[in-house]
Structure formats: C-alpha cells, structure tokens
Amino acid sequence: HISGARSIPTSELAKRARRELPKNRLIVTYCSCPAEHTSARAASELKRLGFKDVAALRGGYEAWKQAGMPTKEGMEDRASISHR
C-alpha cells in the first residue's frame, strides 16, 4: 500500500470516515483494481458524507508503484485512503 495511507474497507467507510479522516485535507482513494471502481465508489461515499476535497487516484496502486512512489508492504489488498 501507499506509505502513510489508511486502509478502510468500503463496507466500513461510512462508520469510520468522520472520526478517522480529516475534513480539512485532500483525501485520495485508491485500490488495486485496474478499472478503479472501488476507489471511485469510496470517493463518492466520502463526498456524500461531507468531505469536500476528495479524489480517486487515476491508475490506482499500480500507477503509483510504476511512478516509483513510496509503498509499504504487509497490508491487506483492499481499497485504501490516503490523506496529506
């Protein structure tokens, strides 16, 4: 996963987002799926919950890795959220 990202399953996003994610920072969702369906759904859900600065990572995790960006091993393969 992306270094510094928080892994939140989409099934838990509504319950956990308000207490675990900052509303005043950019939230980037990503997943390992090539079509990015999961990350797009997560971004839409966050917007519905009132998060204003939200985006899905184009190209997902694979594009991040191919760009040589930092990653962290050992996390489960599921949708994740990165905030900076």
Side-chain angles (χ1 to χ4, degrees), residues 19-57:
R19 63 177 183 203
E20 294 184 35
L21 299 175
K23 282 207 168 192
N24 60 345
R25 292 168 53 187
L26 171 64
I27 306 289
V28 178
T29 61
Y30 73 94
C31 63
S32 61
C33 53
E36 304 163 16
H37 290 33
T38 305
S39 60
R41 278 196 317 268
S44 293
E45 177 69 8
L46 287 171
K47 288 179 182 179
R48 187 187 71 73
L49 293 169
F51 290 82
K52 305 241 184 277
D53 200 7
V54 179
L57 179 63

